[in-house]
Amino acid sequence: MSDLVLLNPGPAGTSPAVRAAMLRGDLCHREPEFADLLGRLRASVARCLGVADTHETVLVTGSGTAAMETAVIGSVRAGRKLLVVDNGVYGARLLSMAEAHGIETVVVRAPWTAPVDPGAIAERLRSDGRIDAVACVHHETTTGMLNPIAEIGAIVRDHEAVFLVDAISSTAIESPGLAEAGADIVCGTANKGLHGIPGVSFLLLSTAKGADRVDAAPRRSVYLDPGAQLAAQRAGDIPFTPAVQTCYALDEAITEYETAGGYEARVGLYRERAAVVRAGFARLGLPVLIEAPHRANSVTALELPTGVTYPALHDELKRRGYVIYAGQGRLSRTHFRIATMGEIPMPRLVDLEGALEESVRHLAKARGE
Ligand SMILES: Cc1ncc(COP(=O)(O)O)c(C=O)c1O
């Protein structure tokens, strides 16, 4: 399995040093060594994403979805509403979380293939004074499409509402990044763009509005309580058993990321990867779902070639060393996705075109064409 290149949008491939970091040894989270690790990660996550001067990190034990739910819970005060942008599976997930916690919502919908219109959000904020937070996914991994978070951030900034951004599949990958987004509550994950191990995620809370807001929101969960987590983590503590080994891995992943040049270098790497694989898709005549300038650096949704099913293509490519990913939701029969997240040797991305071509040819031959 170790030679398989993961072209799914997480869990993303990791480096040998990141995997080895999980073996640093057993550690009790009530010992000072864990407080050191926690303090180091709280500083390095914000620093490596360019928001050290404006945001404070809260680590969340769990995958990105745990960070999303913690963020939703902490974003809205009692009796107020959450505006949710829904133009993909993850926007819909934010919405269902709000509903599950009895938070009143206002939904701004857009087609899955179109970024949301910031004007529609401005209009809702103007007309509804009870909107307390605006939630938007930056990179809708469903389709590989980017929402205009910097424009939305500029609109929300003029209101009392806070801006919640799900940046789980865009952190360290997309530019403009978090420093330009004007977001107050950001969710991100150790895996994907930071190349850590899944199991730890995080919130970034703006010192201007986000940290106060999670304190002011009612306590809607015991485990996913951002106010309690913030208070404990500021004191070097974490309320429940953390994923210690995953924290070690994140620590190492951030060291590797910063040693390699940090945010600019990582975004550059993802752009280079996108250019390599997309040139191949164009030569093969595979239609892409989202065109520039709204498409992400890391995910390309492609139409399945005529007569080719996703499971058949998946299996052919896996035989050739690549794990691809299905189209999501209503795109599952017509599209597949190629993600270039995590540790991937560039020569394997160069060779992907040939593997795709061979796979499609092999499947056509099997159909007797
Ligand atoms: C935009 C976005 N939000 C949230 C999630 C959920 O993250 P996880 O699967 O780590 O819970 C994902 C996962 O792919 C994602 O792409």
Side-chain angles (χ1 to χ4, degrees):
M1 295 299 272
S2 61
D3 274 353
L4 275 179
V5 171
L6 298 186
L7 299 178
N8 48 294
T14 50
S15 73
V18 166
R19 292 193 293 274
M22 291 197 292
L23 304 178
R24 281 183 197 172
D26 298 332
L27 175 62
C28 170
H29 62 295
R30 303 292 175 218
E31 293 300 312
E33 291 83 354
F34 185 78
D36 288 348
L37 176 62
L38 176 64
R40 195 160 67 242
L41 286 174
R42 281 183 17 92
S44 65
V45 167
R47 182 184 66 233
C48 83
L49 298 173
V51 294
D53 295 337
T54 51
H55 289 70
E56 188 175 357
T57 310
V58 174
L59 285 192
V60 176
T61 302
S63 74
T65 303
M68 288 168 86
E69 193 151 359
T70 310
V72 165
I73 286 171
S75 64
V76 181
R77 289 170 292 183
R80 312 282 184 106
K81 300 183 191 174
L82 177 67
L83 184 156
V84 183
V85 171
D86 177 2
N87 57 355
V89 164
Y90 296 99
R93 190 176 295 179
L94 288 168
L95 180 61
S96 63
M97 286 169 173
E99 287 167 356
H101 290 280
I103 296 169
E104 222 181 311
T105 57
V106 172
V107 187
V108 173
R109 291 205 161 82
W112 275 17
T113 48
V116 67
D117 170 16
I121 296 170
E123 160 52 28
R124 293 301 185 96
L125 279 170
R126 259 195 309 273
S127 63
D128 189 341
R130 282 210 298 134
I131 295 174
D132 215 22
V134 171
C136 183
V137 175
H138 184 196
H139 168 205
E140 259 300 351
T141 324
T142 319
T143 50
M145 188 191 62
L146 297 173
N147 276 313
I149 53 165
E151 286 88 333
I152 301 169
I155 290 166
V156 180
R157 199 173 297 132
D158 294 335
H159 294 262
E160 206 186 322
V162 295
F163 185 29
L164 188 172
V165 173
D166 170 350
I168 284 167
S169 61
S170 62
T171 31
I173 299 177
E174 300 298 336
S175 171
L178 296 175
E180 288 83 19
D184 299 297
I185 303 179
V186 176
C187 5
T189 180
N191 193 232
K192 302 204 199 299
L194 288 178
H195 301 190
I197 302 275
V200 169
S201 51
F202 53 85
L203 301 188
L204 291 162
L205 301 174
S206 70
T207 41
K209 278 191 194 171
D212 285 346
R213 176 54 58 86
V214 301
D215 265 341
R219 194 170 189 225
R220 295 181 166 105
S221 165
V222 173
Y223 192 68
L224 303 174
D225 179 348
Q229 287 286 350
L230 177 61
Q233 293 187 25
R234 276 179 176 166
D237 195 10
I238 204 154
F240 310 107
T241 307
V244 175
Q245 282 69 19
T246 308
C247 290
Y248 284 149
L250 177 59
D251 193 32
E252 182 62 32
I254 292 175
T255 301
E256 282 192 343
Y257 163 100
E258 292 189 322
T259 306
Y263 174 72
E264 298 297 338
R266 186 62 56 90
V267 171
L269 172 69
Y270 275 85
R271 282 201 181 122
E272 196 185 335
R273 289 174 171 181
V276 166
V277 296
R278 285 170 184 166
F281 303 151
R283 281 190 291 270
L284 295 174
L286 288 170
V288 299
L289 185 65
I290 307 289
E291 296 287 357
H294 305 302
R295 73 179 169 190
N297 286 331
S298 60
V299 171
T300 312
L302 297 146
E303 219 170 280
L304 284 162
T306 312
V308 173
T309 64
Y310 172 73
L313 184 62
H314 168 273
D315 292 356
E316 282 305 318
L317 277 165
K318 193 166 179 184
R319 260 194 281 285
R320 292 168 176 80
Y322 298 94
V323 173
I324 59 167
Y325 216 49
Q328 207 161 11
R330 65 182 85 126
L331 297 174
S332 61
R333 287 181 174 278
T334 53
H335 288 76
F336 66 105
R337 286 175 292 171
I338 301 271
T340 48
M341 290 177 186
E343 292 293 315
I344 309 174
M346 194 57 99
R348 300 294 301 275
L349 288 183
V350 172
D351 292 346
L352 174 66
E353 179 184 350
L356 261 167
E357 190 173 24
E358 263 182 37
S359 299
V360 173
R361 200 179 319 121
H362 180 90
L363 290 169
K365 210 162 147 198
R367 292 194 306 272
E369 289 167 15

